[in-house]
Amino acid sequence: MGAAASAETVTGRRGEATVDRAVGLLAGRVRCRLADAHRHLLRMAEEQNRDLAEVAAGVINLLDIPDLAEMGRTPQPNLVSFPAPPGLPRRDPWPTAAQRILDALPGASALFTPVRDAEGRLLDLVFAAVTPEAVAPDGRRGRELIGTTMSGWFPRTITSDRWNIYAEVLATGDPADVPPFPYFDSIYSVRAHRVGGGLLLTWFRHEDPGDSDRVDSTERLGNLGWGEADLVSGVVRWSDQLYRIYERDPALGPLTQPELDAMTLAEDLPLRTAAEEAFARFERVDLTLRVRVNGQVKHLRTVADAARDATGRPLRVFGIVQDITERETSAQRLAEVERQLADQRRDLAAEHALAATLQQIILPLPDGPLTLPGLKVALRYLPAGQESLVGGDWYHAAQARDGSVLLAVGDVAGHGTQAATTMAQLRHALRALAVVTTDPAVLLGHLNRLTCELERDRPELAATAVVARFDPMTRRLTWAQAGHPPPLLCRAGRTTPLARPAGCMLGVLEDAGYATATLDLATGDVLLLYTDGLVEHRRRGPDDGLRAVMTAMDDAVLTSPQRPLEQVLDRLRQANPDDDTCILAVRTVTGETRDLRHYLSLS
């Protein structure tokens, strides 16, 4: 009896764990609350007259994403394929999985399937999966492009030098960078990867340092616009993005209050009245209303406040409007997931394999050391000893607009596609924020707020990071950390950890503050930034791991004082079986040292 009861207990716990995992995956996929996802599972089990754990297992299998390369080679009859356009070959089913990955990525990227002639020459490329921000010349974006061709939208590409590069990437599998080229009034470059039998292209728009469109780009990224009304003069101003949200011609000017009232759904008018009453009580307004724009219902969140005179009379009203329609339609996505559940099954191993492919695309490593102002930088990524443990480690090393050098490493808790996706969001956010500020403490504050926002949809999400700014003129390093292991400094052959300034993990406290520390680097100093996989190991404590790394750095500098970075990375190449590791090694250099770089492959 005791053994039977114990077995039943274990089985019950496994069932609960399966349901919990399915709820988490479902809520994360469709961006809904955990409670809504759980209720949806219960309804599915009741309607299908099936056990809740069995339905949950089906959801888990559905949301585990297969390896793109394997899917490209082996037909999967249970997957839904995209219809091929007339005259083109039927497409492989695996782009369905790729589309779900691209849906979560920022920027403009697309996965193409090649069209070839009888001799195997590349004739055209067909859109198979597209990120939401990819836009065609006529305004179509995202999934609206699926099934159309490259030649249909960009006929000059077929005859350009870029076409030969794309064909070479498909033939060899080696990624390539397309040099900058003009397109309309902007300059673009392209990164090309072969994924399975397809071609993944990512477009980058090069901003002019004095480009006034920077604010507009930020508004597009957040899908929000701003407006203000001068109640004294009666002048009302809208940003370009606000006109886009309301799909209004800027030549017509901002909407009037009666026009705005007419667009609001009647059921939401009491909310507007309540907001107006709160505004009259000197409160800031924060409400979400449904409006009908050109026959489409949008969910718009408005945050507004006012500048007032000494009596409290408003003189100027200002605010932002954000289109959150996607978030508010999560119930429709739940229904879509349920429909796909009938004919799509995934397994956990394939999900990790796809996450690994995604991670390699998001986090490309340079072929050799980077030469930045006053610094040589070498990078290494060590995947976990267990192939299934794909993590969220990331790095950043680039010159900022103000001439300084920004260095960073970070680690998202957990493994799999969710960790890789969150890693991509944080890394892209840091790169975007560096346009506005290079203060490490301010950057970590922004990343913390972003992580807290993501945590609302992904419970228990947490991450760590260290961000450093190096001024090549003063040779001063300013750095801050968020629950991350301290950098290691090797000076005169002796390695020590830097004293950490205050700073908690990302995603724990929404109003967390971060302190900075400064250090003047001398010529020949070696600095190591790393993630915790380098020092934490199941067979030893973190202190033992830290001492081993410090000893390795001392030996590397002693063995090769002229080329220490190569020696450091060579000694730290052993993978951690429990976690992946990202290592960023930095050495200060002089102008004279840089002139000798053709003699030294790595210094």
Side-chain angles (χ1 to χ4, degrees), residues 185-520:
D185 58 349
S186 298
I187 301 295
Y188 289 85
S189 60
V190 180
R191 180 71 172 168
H193 292 263
R194 188 178 75 185
V195 179
L199 183 70
L200 179 68
L201 300 182
T202 301
W203 291 270
F204 302 94
R205 180 173 180 265
H206 297 271
E207 297 284 352
D208 188 327
D211 193 351
S212 61
D213 290 339
R214 196 173 302 145
V215 173
D216 185 60
S217 298
T218 303
E219 289 185 337
R220 284 177 179 268
L221 185 64
N223 201 12
L224 56 85
W226 60 265
E228 63 177 7
D230 189 328
L231 303 184
V232 178
S233 64
V235 175
V236 179
R237 296 176 58 213
W238 278 13
S239 70
D240 291 341
Q241 184 63 17
L242 194 54
Y243 283 105
R244 296 188 190 103
I245 290 174
Y246 281 100
E247 301 177 21
R248 183 173 174 85
D249 185 353
L252 300 176
L255 291 166
T256 64
Q257 191 60 49
E259 288 175 322
L260 288 170
D261 291 341
M263 297 171 70
T264 304
L265 298 191
E267 300 91 327
D268 290 356
L269 287 177
L271 294 176
R272 179 185 289 277
T273 301
E276 292 171 350
E277 293 173 352
F279 188 78
R281 297 192 298 269
F282 306 163
E283 297 177 11
R284 187 181 69 171
V285 171
D286 186 344
L287 81 159
T288 299
L289 295 175
R290 292 172 297 168
V291 299
R292 193 177 300 279
V293 180
N294 293 334
Q296 175 190 3
V297 175
K298 292 187 176 184
H299 298 258
L300 304 183
R301 180 191 179 194
T302 301
V303 180
D305 208 339
R308 305 174 185 270
D309 60 17
T311 65
R313 183 172 63 94
L315 302 177
R316 184 169 61 91
V317 178
F318 48 88
I320 60 172
V321 176
Q322 184 177 24
D323 187 347
I324 58 171
T325 305
E326 185 70 18
R327 188 179 72 189
E328 296 298 324
T329 56
S330 60
Q332 299 176 10
R333 294 177 180 174
L334 282 169
E336 177 67 12
V337 170
E338 183 178 354
R339 182 189 67 80
Q340 295 173 357
L341 184 60
D343 45 33
Q344 298 186 39
R345 293 295 182 266
R346 310 284 203 272
D347 60 72
L348 187 58
E351 190 267 346
H352 283 303
L354 181 59
T357 302
L358 173 63
Q359 187 181 51
Q360 293 168 7
I361 294 172
I362 296 170
L363 196 69
L365 293 174
D367 297 330
L370 303 176
T371 300
L372 297 171
L375 297 176
K376 275 277 190 177
V377 179
L379 293 153
R380 173 158 292 163
Y381 174 77
L382 301 174
Q386 301 179 36
E387 294 182 358
S388 62
L389 294 181
V390 178
D393 289 22
W394 58 274
Y395 77 90
H396 179 82
Q399 182 179 2
R401 292 178 180 271
D402 61 5
S404 65
V405 176
L406 200 64
L407 306 170
V409 295
D411 186 3
V412 177
H415 299 88
T417 304
Q418 178 172 307
T421 302
T422 304
M423 172 268 287
Q425 291 173 307
L426 292 178
R427 186 170 186 260
H428 282 290
L430 178 68
R431 183 177 178 181
L433 291 167
V435 175
V436 182
T437 180
T438 56
D439 186 314
V442 175
L443 288 170
L444 283 179
H446 288 307
L447 293 183
N448 178 62
R449 284 186 286 275
L450 172 60
T451 307
C452 289
E453 182 69 23
L454 296 174
E455 198 272 342
R456 295 190 179 113
D457 298 325
R458 306 172 192 175
E460 300 181 2
L461 172 65
T464 68
V466 58
V467 179
R469 177 185 184 273
F470 176 72
D471 187 339
M473 300 298 296
T474 63
R475 305 177 72 82
R476 172 158 291 185
L477 185 82
T478 303
W479 68 285
Q481 63 84 32
H484 199 84
L488 301 179
L489 174 68
C490 184
R491 174 173 290 176
R494 184 172 181 270
T495 302
T496 56
L498 300 182
R500 295 198 310 174
C504 67
M505 293 177 63
L506 303 176
V508 177
L509 298 175
E510 197 159 0
D511 58 349
Y514 296 90
T516 59
T518 59
L519 172 69
D520 292 330

Side-chain angles (χ1 to χ4, degrees), residues 33-288:
R33 294 179 300 177
L34 290 174
D36 293 337
H38 191 265
R39 282 195 293 269
H40 193 75
L41 281 179
L42 291 173
R43 183 179 63 79
M44 290 170 60
E46 180 179 359
E47 291 177 353
Q48 300 174 17
N49 195 25
R50 298 167 61 196
D51 181 75
L52 181 60
E54 182 183 356
V55 173
V59 171
I60 291 173
N61 289 335
L62 170 65
L63 298 184
D64 287 340
I65 302 174
D67 176 64
L68 296 183
E70 291 299 322
M71 289 297 294
R73 290 193 292 266
T74 305
Q76 301 290 324
N78 290 333
L79 295 180
V80 177
S81 300
F82 291 108
L88 296 180
R90 188 176 183 272
R91 310 153 77 87
D92 289 335
W94 59 266
T96 307
Q99 182 61 56
R100 293 189 177 87
I101 296 298
L102 296 188
D103 279 341
L105 294 182
S109 299
L111 181 66
F112 295 88
T113 54
V115 179
R116 302 182 184 275
D117 61 15
E119 298 179 358
R121 287 190 297 265
L122 183 64
L123 296 180
D124 211 335
L125 293 170
V126 181
F127 283 87
V130 194
T131 59
E133 293 182 31
V135 184
D138 72 342
R140 295 194 207 181
R141 63 175 56 242
R143 295 191 178 207
E144 295 175 335
L145 301 176
I146 292 175
T148 62
T149 61
M150 174 73 80
S151 62
W153 297 114
F154 311 102
R156 293 184 180 179
T157 300
I158 310 298
T159 59
S160 70
D161 294 338
R162 301 191 295 278
W163 196 248
N164 297 329
I165 296 176
Y166 298 158
E168 183 70 15
V169 172
L170 283 169
T172 65
D174 296 329
D177 291 304
V178 176
F181 58 91
Y183 182 72
F184 286 100
D185 58 349
S186 298
I187 301 295
Y188 289 85
S189 60
V190 180
R191 180 71 172 168
H193 292 263
R194 188 178 75 185
V195 179
L199 183 70
L200 179 68
L201 300 182
T202 301
W203 291 270
F204 302 94
R205 180 173 180 265
H206 297 271
E207 297 284 352
D208 188 327
D211 193 351
S212 61
D213 290 339
R214 196 173 302 145
V215 173
D216 185 60
S217 298
T218 303
E219 289 185 337
R220 284 177 179 268
L221 185 64
N223 201 12
L224 56 85
W226 60 265
E228 63 177 7
D230 189 328
L231 303 184
V232 178
S233 64
V235 175
V236 179
R237 296 176 58 213
W238 278 13
S239 70
D240 291 341
Q241 184 63 17
L242 194 54
Y243 283 105
R244 296 188 190 103
I245 290 174
Y246 281 100
E247 301 177 21
R248 183 173 174 85
D249 185 353
L252 300 176
L255 291 166
T256 64
Q257 191 60 49
E259 288 175 322
L260 288 170
D261 291 341
M263 297 171 70
T264 304
L265 298 191
E267 300 91 327
D268 290 356
L269 287 177
L271 294 176
R272 179 185 289 277
T273 301
E276 292 171 350
E277 293 173 352
F279 188 78
R281 297 192 298 269
F282 306 163
E283 297 177 11
R284 187 181 69 171
V285 171
D286 186 344
L287 81 159
T288 299

